[in-house]
Amino acid sequence: DVKVTQSSRYLVKRTGEKVFLECVQDMDHENMFWYRQDPGLGLRLIYFSYDVKMKEKGDIPEGYSVSREKKERFSLILESASTNQTSMYLCASSSEGKLANYGYTFGSGTRLTVV
Amino acid sequence: AQTVTQSQPEMSVQEAETVTLSCTYDTSENNYYLFWYKQPPSRQMILVIRQEAYKQQNATENRFSVNFQKAAKSFSLKISDSQLGDTAMYFCAFMKWETSGSRLTFGEGTQLTVNP
């Protein structure tokens, strides 16, 4: 069964900490994405990557960075966590080209609380 | 930029009845794709149905069907014979094809509760 795996289901961090959210996919997908999900706002795109070592900003990149050193792994980094980054974070992946038009495969999400 | 709007934050339906979830979108593109995703309490996002904008025929997947009105930019989801397992958050999403890859833009979501 193909999978996108997020390393933590729940995470509690303190304000000012550097936080790493890890995502691994086993489908050999080129494209990977990080979204945050908030009630009433749906899913908003933070960053995405179409290839190893490349990244592009999404709609809400402020306060976040990403790393993609290997094709299967896409990390989201909160350089200095703040309480307004308390949210659900979803990772997703997709194939490139026309296959991407069939949608994404999602991880199960990491619920991050910053205290 | 594309926007997707789901105007019903919450809906409920009785088991075995039919319910329709609304979605509208705004785009200047002619070729694009539309999706409905389901997110049950397990949080796993599941693709429910997909529609290609250049196809006039509405997509159907078992009990799930869409009413795609391209001119009106409307993409509603109909769930027939609702089951308790259909209780979930439902997200409408838009994908414009871009040469550098694809991006999904989501609506705000509709929480559907199926009552026994």
Side-chain angles (χ1 to χ4, degrees):
Chain A
D1 195 17
V2 294
K3 273 189 176 177
V4 175
T5 303
Q6 294 184 230
S7 55
S8 302
R9 190 164 175 83
Y10 296 95
L11 211 52
V12 179
K13 295 292 182 180
R14 295 195 178 278
T15 301
E17 275 193 77
K18 190 169 185 176
V19 181
F20 293 84
L21 303 184
E22 306 288 346
C23 176
V24 177
Q25 51 96 1
D26 64 1
M27 296 164 285
D28 201 34
H29 282 169
E30 289 75 16
N31 305 332
M32 296 189 75
F33 308 83
W34 275 106
Y35 286 84
R36 74 176 271 176
Q37 180 181 351
D38 299 289
L41 297 177
L43 280 72
R44 293 177 292 165
L45 183 63
I46 305 171
Y47 266 97
F48 56 104
S49 169
Y50 294 138
D51 201 352
V52 176
K53 294 192 184 295
M54 72 81 61
K55 60 186 178 184
E56 290 196 35
K57 293 180 179 180
D59 300 318
I60 52 164
E62 295 77 20
Y64 303 95
S65 62
V66 290
S67 172
R68 193 168 181 198
E69 296 296 319
K70 295 184 178 181
K71 188 176 184 180
E72 67 271 17
R73 185 180 296 270
F74 192 36
S75 303
L76 180 70
I77 304 159
L78 287 66
E79 296 289 343
S80 178
S82 63
T83 54
N84 62 13
Q85 293 178 308
T86 291
S87 185
M88 170 82 80
Y89 291 88
L90 288 168
C91 176
S93 70
S94 74
S95 297
E96 68 173 352
K98 290 185 178 180
L99 291 176
N101 300 330
Y102 286 88
Y104 299 170
T105 300
F106 283 86
S108 297
T110 296
R111 189 173 296 281
L112 172 68
T113 302
V114 182
V115 297
Chain B
Q2 285 69 230
T3 59
V4 179
T5 302
Q6 294 177 248
S7 58
Q8 306 152 314
E10 296 179 352
M11 292 193 72
S12 62
V13 64
Q14 291 299 121
E15 197 174 5
E17 293 187 347
T18 295
V19 64
T20 299
L21 308 184
S22 301
C23 173
T24 59
Y25 58 94
D26 186 24
T27 185
S28 58
E29 301 294 325
N30 192 45
N31 294 319
Y32 51 87
Y33 305 85
L34 295 164
F35 303 82
W36 279 98
Y37 278 88
K38 166 186 176 181
Q39 186 183 45
S42 67
R43 301 183 342 204
Q44 183 65 56
M45 292 280 276
I46 301 164
L47 178 61
V48 175
I49 201 163
R50 171 182 173 271
Q51 175 79 41
E52 299 172 4
Y54 62 87
K55 289 188 176 179
Q56 292 186 342
Q57 186 174 3
N58 289 324
T60 299
E61 289 288 341
N62 300 314
R63 297 182 296 107
F64 299 88
S65 61
V66 298
N67 183 5
F68 173 48
Q69 302 289 328
K70 190 172 184 180
K73 297 180 182 176
S74 171
F75 183 61
S76 61
L77 175 70
K78 185 172 84 171
I79 305 174
S80 304
D81 186 26
S82 297
Q83 301 175 359
L84 296 178
D86 295 333
T87 292
M89 181 72 82
Y90 287 81
F91 291 100
C92 177
F94 172 100
M95 178 185 284
K96 165 194 151 186
W97 173 243
E98 302 180 52
T99 55
S100 60
S102 60
R103 297 177 47 155
L104 269 175
T105 300
F106 288 85
E108 303 90 337
T110 297
Q111 176 63 51
L112 175 67
T113 301
V114 180
N115 298 309

